[in-house]
Amino acid sequence: MFFGLITLLPFLGMAQQEKADSSYQFTLIKEIPHTSVKDQYRSGTCWSFSSLSFFESELIRMGKGEFDLSEMFCVRDAYEKKADRYVRMQGSLNFGGGGAFHDVLYTIVKRGIVPENIYPGLGYGENKHVHGELDAVTKAYIDAVIKNFNKKLSTAWFEGFKGILDAYLGKVPEKFTYDGKEYTPKNFAEMLGIKEEDYVCITSYTHHPFYKKFILEVPDNWAWGEFYNLPLDEMMEVMDYALDKGYSVAWAADVSEKGFAYNKGLAVVPETDVAELSGSEKARWEKLTDKERQSQMYNLDRIVPEKKVTQEMRQKEFDNYQTTDDHGMHMVGYGFDPLGNKYYYIKNSWGADNKFDGYFYASIPFVRLKTMDIMVHKNAIPPSIRKKLGL
């Protein structure tokens, strides 16, 4: 009996080692300097949080120092622009809290930007962003405007709309003081040195020609921004090149997948299919009980085999609404699991309450399949691809 136990001990040790080596643990190899994790809380403003996180990293890279920029300043500007376009389109346009990376870039270069402490956007009795009432009130207001009860639009409707935003988010400051100097939002942005021509939005779909720009047909692209279209392998090459050269990546992706395990800090595409979640952003998780959350996820205690993602598979999921424009995040590095698989290190904007304190690791298959679009500095694109794009 004792001899049998001695004989089994090496095999038990090997089994334990195999189990340890096949669990989801990560070694972070590359990390781009970036600012702290923020919390968009109960607002659909991930596009502003992720874009400004990206630009804050850019400012560090440019030697400008560390800044905490106001997400709600950009949200406020987008609300105004969306309302104008929504009324001009007589309601035939998406109106809500969502947006895209280029919305923030357009705000910075055209209207300016301010620090977070100058415009926190919390003028409605909350200490975190809760936009349910704001979204409902603004939508009801502009829907009343386009019903055109007076048989023509009044000259007051837009000022009235801005009055709602003033009440909830606060009035936009004309001047403010930062580090002992007086600025306007416009010349503060000019001091930061963020230039529109330096940044490029990229996607990868086959229903438009590659190496050309097109308007990505998703609801949150209300501004009809254009994206360069690259083959999937080249879009991935851009992300890898950017990170290796010290540039971060603004990353928009679908997080309504069963392989996106927020609490575990993991996003994968297992070979075995499980029905997908519905909805978008953190709200879906908050509405579920712990038991329901577990039933919505794969068992991801051990590393699972993943699908081989092709351009055709990616296109099919986009065409069938299986990939939707759910969430904007910030790609700030990459690492590896114990089996040598590569994962991208993602900074989220849901606070710091998951396994990795607000970050998660997204596998290569997940990024290949579920990336909606990215934004990078033009110098973060490999020279051969830049040439194809005419940049």
Side-chain angles (χ1 to χ4, degrees), residues 112-381:
I113 190 68
V114 302
E116 170 69 17
N117 67 319
I118 298 299
Y119 196 80
L122 290 167
Y124 49 98
E126 300 284 348
N127 57 14
K128 290 186 177 182
H129 304 292
V130 183
H131 283 189
E133 184 176 297
L134 172 62
D135 288 340
V137 169
T138 51
K139 179 65 162 55
Y141 180 91
I142 57 171
D143 280 340
V145 169
I146 64 173
K147 286 179 180 177
N148 201 13
F149 291 106
N150 292 355
K151 304 306 179 186
K152 71 173 186 177
L153 295 185
S154 75
T155 59
W157 82 264
F158 192 61
E159 289 303 313
F161 184 80
K162 289 196 294 184
I164 295 172
L165 298 179
D166 286 345
Y168 280 88
L169 302 179
K171 292 185 177 182
V172 175
E174 294 182 5
K175 295 181 180 181
F176 61 92
T177 300
Y178 182 80
D179 277 352
K181 295 182 181 179
E182 187 174 84
Y183 293 96
T184 66
K186 196 74 170 66
N187 63 29
F188 186 74
E190 291 168 354
M191 178 273 293
L192 296 178
I194 295 170
K195 300 177 181 178
E196 182 177 1
E197 61 269 22
D198 285 343
Y199 297 94
V200 178
C201 291
I202 294 171
T203 190
S204 178
Y205 291 110
T206 59
H207 64 294
H208 289 280
F210 289 132
Y211 310 114
K212 304 289 185 183
K213 289 192 291 186
F214 75 97
I215 297 172
L216 185 59
E217 307 96 332
V218 293
D220 282 342
N221 188 20
W222 61 270
W224 304 330
E226 290 187 311
F227 297 74
Y228 282 98
N229 198 25
L230 287 178
L232 175 56
D233 288 344
E234 293 189 9
M235 183 177 72
M236 297 297 297
E237 185 181 347
V238 169
M239 287 185 261
D240 290 335
Y241 182 89
L243 294 171
D244 283 334
K245 295 298 182 181
Y247 295 85
S248 68
V249 179
W251 181 58
D254 183 353
V255 297
S256 61
E257 306 300 308
K258 289 299 185 64
F260 177 76
Y262 166 68
N263 292 334
K264 293 177 180 287
L266 184 65
V268 293
V269 185
E271 283 184 337
T272 305
D273 283 322
V274 178
E276 298 168 357
L277 294 169
S278 61
S280 64
E281 298 205 24
K282 192 179 179 182
R284 95 200 62 188
W285 294 92
E286 293 175 337
K287 293 178 182 177
L288 299 176
T289 65
D290 288 340
K291 183 176 180 180
E292 288 171 331
R293 288 174 188 166
Q294 291 300 318
S295 71
Q296 294 283 4
M297 295 190 294
Y298 293 94
N299 180 4
L300 296 176
D301 293 330
R302 303 277 298 276
I303 297 171
V304 298
E306 297 193 54
K307 293 179 180 179
K308 305 298 183 183
V309 177
T310 64
Q311 183 87 61
E312 293 72 23
M313 183 189 305
R314 172 182 168 80
Q315 185 69 38
K316 182 179 179 181
E317 296 225 346
F318 178 72
D319 291 341
N320 292 340
Y321 299 170
Q322 291 173 290
T323 296
T324 55
D325 58 332
D326 273 349
H327 194 38
M329 295 153 283
H330 187 195
M331 185 180 289
V332 295
Y334 61 82
F336 293 87
D337 69 18
L339 302 184
N341 300 308
K342 183 177 181 178
Y343 297 76
Y344 296 96
Y345 188 50
I346 309 298
K347 176 187 171 185
N348 204 0
S349 57
W350 292 350
D353 61 348
N354 75 337
K355 181 177 180 180
F356 298 113
D357 299 321
Y359 299 82
F360 67 91
Y361 289 85
S363 70
I364 288 177
F366 189 94
V367 173
R368 286 177 65 89
L369 185 60
K370 292 301 173 181
T371 296
M372 179 64 64
D373 58 86
I374 63 174
M375 181 171 65
V376 294
H377 192 283
K378 64 183 180 183
N379 291 340
I381 302 172

Side-chain angles (χ1 to χ4, degrees), residues 5-25:
L5 180 60
I6 294 295
T7 304
L8 283 173
L9 283 176
F11 295 98
L12 290 171
M14 289 173 61
Q16 289 173 345
Q17 182 66 35
E18 180 182 353
K19 182 175 181 180
D21 287 348
S22 62
S23 63
Y24 280 109
Q25 304 172 54

Side-chain angles (χ1 to χ4, degrees), residues 66-91:
E66 186 169 319
F67 290 84
D68 183 6
L69 302 176
S70 169
E71 291 86 10
M72 291 305 120
F73 184 90
C74 299
V75 169
R76 162 68 186 256
D77 188 48
Y79 267 118
E80 291 185 15
K81 292 172 180 173
K82 274 186 273 193
D84 179 75
R85 185 162 292 189
Y86 185 85
V87 171
R88 291 184 184 280
M89 295 293 294
Q90 300 177 44

